[in-house]
Amino acid sequence: AAMGKETIRVFARVKPLGRRQQAGSYAVDNEEPLPSLEITVPHDLADGFINNKRESYKFKFQKIFDQEAKQDVIFDSIAKPVAECVLAGYNGTIFAYGQTGSGKTFTITGGAERYSDRGIIPRTLSYIFNQLQKDSSKVYTTHVSYLEIYNECGYDLLDPRHEASRMEDLPKVTIMEDSDQNIHLKNLSLQQATNEEEALNLLFLGDTNRMIAETPMNQASSRSHCIFTIHISSKEPGSATIRRSKLHLVDLAGSERVAKTGIGGHLLTEAKYINLSLHYLEQVIIALAEKNRSHIPYRNSMMTSVLRDSLGGNCMTTMISTLAMDKRNIDESISTCRFAQRVALIKNEAVLNEEIDPRLMIVQLKKEIQDLKDELALVTGKQRTSELSQEELLQLDELIEAFLKDNDADSSLDIGADMRKIKYCFVHMKQIINHPMASGKKLLSQDISEEKNSNEEVEKLKGLLQQRDNEINILVTMLKKEKKKAQDALSQLNATSAGSTVLEQSPYMSLEESQSPSRCFSLKDAKDFSSSVPRLPLLSRATGEKMSLGCQEAFEVFKRDHADSITIEDNKQLLKQRFDEAKYLGEKLNEVRNKINHLKGKIIQRQIQRAALAVSNPSEELTFDPVEENLRMQVEEEKKSYKAVYGRFKGLKVEIEHLQLLMEKVKLKLQKDFEVWWSEEAKKFQQEKPEMVTSPNTATVYPQFIRSSQHLSRNSSSDTSRGSLYEDPAVKNNSITFGNPTLETRTPPSSSTSIPLTGDSQADADILAFIKARQNILQKKG
């Protein structure tokens, strides 16, 4: 079933002005059938020339959302209709297009500040899972995928195996095309989400990977395209048809043109790629809007390949143009609107995606074959097996032999209408013609059975060999695992012993020390010890514990001055309120439940009394009992209030989970900002003291320190301890501990990370001076 050809629906959303931005003039006219947006270009004297550009432009949209439009209204008008289609089995796509900073990510994903700032993705997930829960007529499965495209390479943001520290660490996604021109994305993981909470966790994982893997020059969000896809398949119990549909939610890269940003080098290649992929998107759109074009250049870029069935294909597509309407960006806004007008011309035809489940098909075909076999047996009076029996084969051999010996030209070989027998005769005759000697000595049927036997023997031996191989492999793997466990335990020990009070010695103690029995202890202790060290959850990159003291102090100050920490505090307050409310509601639920149970008890008592009365006094008819009726009414009332409270309680639970994820996200961002700032400060310090660079391994001291502190915090959450700081050769030479002005060569590392020194006394003095200066600044700030 097709929905009929429908044009792509295009909406506009105007971003609220910033504090210091000058308003550009525009007017929204929401008249039916199509509202229009009029933008006026200011008439001013540009470089002494009179600016004769056209001064006003008018663009038509499905609907225009002005600056004060709220997220829920956006969802209801734009995303909900698409989500409904997807639930019905059609494909849908919503993509946001506009320049960097015009509000694409806010519209698609949402803001991290308030629960009400949730964007289209979380709201759509919530809506879809609610609808699925209500519909018990079908069995649904939902999966999500999250793809990032940057410089024409695809990356899987939902890779569960590790937390990436650079975009290059994420699994590379490539495009494959099958013979029917269908696109397949190789290496893009599909994660199953059975409920809203799981889906939100996946979205959060993806956003975190995206944030951590941001490119250094710029927040990656504006530099890469991101596609979050919800895949739904549904099936009615017992039916063989499956409906599959997918909903792409796309946050495109910023659409600003290269000339404006005034950039060179690495940034330029990046801008070239972005502009290129958006340029190809534009080309595809122009080609689609032209009536008589046969070739559409989808293959030119990864983006257009992925969105192929959403543009001019089997899909209900919606576009949101985000516009920043301050004076500086009027040009960009006009070009965004022009692009939107082109998109609005495209017609898509969404078709219901139904297919037959192969497993059910097999079951049906097997049944059909059996029916046919039974029918055949009825007609021929013989039950068919798939193979001819031994005596049938012998009988055929005799017939063939008689036929060959018979010199009568008219004699025929009559074996009945059985394809298996006919085939066998042909094979046998061929054998006799090719090996005339064999025919006299040995009949083919025996030949066959003997060959069968020897083949079976070989197969048996092969099977045995395979089994032995498998056993050996399993044992080797087990050995490896044991060995790895032992190593892990030791390295865990090394990593943790640093801060522990159990082991006073340094993890790289000298040889004699390590051999003295008093210092050694068994591997088992190591295992117990390592398991007692609390593991950090995957996403909290241990901020506090693994930083040096100086770094921690700096982080505290940085946190105080950082806008995000205000958000964190606000969120904490909000969460506390929500928790209190949830606690109160929980108590209330218990109260109501107890009341209901109490009333039910009363009803039962009353019934027992009435029954007893009826037995002792049978002449009394059991009449209507007003007391019992009254109790029942009370129960109904209580049930109603229970339902209401429970509804609110459930809503709160979802909100609390969302808030917790938001807080986690802001915390991570804060830490990431701090790491960037800290390494920049370190670089600045090096530039001020160029003489430091002369010594061999100084140039990388600070960045390396930052890197290793990240390493540590990551490792604490993953089992593998790869290159922890204490294995760094630079650290082994000398280490210095904060809070200790005298320099000792062999300081056992405290729980703080040690800054590696260079062995060059001038440079060492510089580093100490830097640290002291830092501490003074921090104290002053404090």
Side-chain angles (χ1 to χ4, degrees), residues 403-529:
F403 171 66
L404 289 175
K405 281 183 183 154
D406 190 353
N407 291 329
D408 181 1
D410 292 340
S411 74
S412 67
L413 178 60
D414 188 19
I415 50 169
D418 186 336
M419 271 321 285
R420 295 164 309 161
K421 290 184 177 176
I422 294 170
K423 271 188 186 153
Y424 175 77
C425 287
F426 273 114
V427 172
H428 192 101
M429 300 275 261
K430 187 178 177 183
Q431 202 87 3
I432 291 172
I433 292 164
N434 290 346
H435 313 284
M437 290 306 293
S439 67
K441 295 175 202 149
K442 195 196 264 181
L443 287 171
L444 192 68
S445 54
Q446 286 156 316
D447 233 357
I448 287 177
S449 62
E450 273 180 26
E451 201 176 318
K452 242 190 197 160
N453 288 345
S454 68
N455 278 352
E456 273 170 14
E457 197 66 23
V458 172
E459 285 306 305
K460 226 185 225 164
L461 287 170
K462 271 191 189 163
L464 256 171
L465 196 66
Q466 184 62 44
Q467 208 176 330
R468 291 282 173 275
D469 269 359
N470 288 349
E471 283 165 13
I472 289 170
N473 281 337
I474 291 166
L475 288 170
V476 170
T477 318
M478 279 166 72
L479 260 174
K480 276 188 187 158
K481 266 196 192 144
E482 283 305 309
K483 197 169 168 194
K484 186 170 180 324
K485 262 192 201 155
Q487 281 173 348
D488 276 3
L490 273 176
S491 51
Q492 184 83 25
L493 197 70
N494 282 352
T496 46
S497 61
S500 76
T501 43
V502 187
L503 311 160
E504 260 96 48
Q505 86 274 32
S506 125
Y508 39 82
M509 53 191 168
S510 64
L511 198 63
E512 311 86 283
E513 281 180 306
S514 69
Q515 283 160 349
S516 75
S518 61
R519 287 291 175 93
C520 285
F521 59 109
S522 73
L523 196 62
K524 186 182 167 308
D525 298 341
K527 271 191 186 164
D528 294 348
F529 180 66

Side-chain angles (χ1 to χ4, degrees), residues 273 295 615 766:
Y273 272 122
H295 171 69
V615 171
D766 284 339

Side-chain angles (χ1 to χ4, degrees), residues 367-405:
K367 190 175 174 307
E368 207 171 306
I369 290 170
Q370 192 50 51
D371 290 350
L372 288 171
K373 273 188 180 168
D374 294 347
E375 221 169 292
L376 201 62
L378 266 178
V379 177
T380 57
K382 274 193 210 136
Q383 184 69 40
R384 272 261 164 120
T385 55
S386 51
E387 291 207 11
L388 291 166
S389 67
Q390 205 62 34
E391 53 263 33
E392 279 178 310
L393 290 175
L394 284 167
Q395 202 180 346
L396 285 175
D397 287 350
E398 282 162 23
L399 277 172
I400 293 169
E401 208 148 338
F403 171 66
L404 289 175
K405 281 183 183 154

Side-chain angles (χ1 to χ4, degrees), residues 240-252:
T241 3
I242 300 181
R243 276 187 187 177
R244 296 184 195 283
S245 53
K246 51 183 190 227
L247 172 56
H248 294 303
L249 300 165
V250 186
D251 183 359
L252 290 173

Side-chain angles (χ1 to χ4, degrees), residues 57 100 114 134 166 216 272 282 340 364 375 409 444 492 564:
Y57 297 82
T100 300
R114 291 185 298 275
K134 286 182 196 158
R166 303 196 315 277
K272 219 163 50 196
E282 209 158 326
Q364 284 175 358
E375 221 169 292
L444 192 68
Q492 184 83 25
D564 281 343

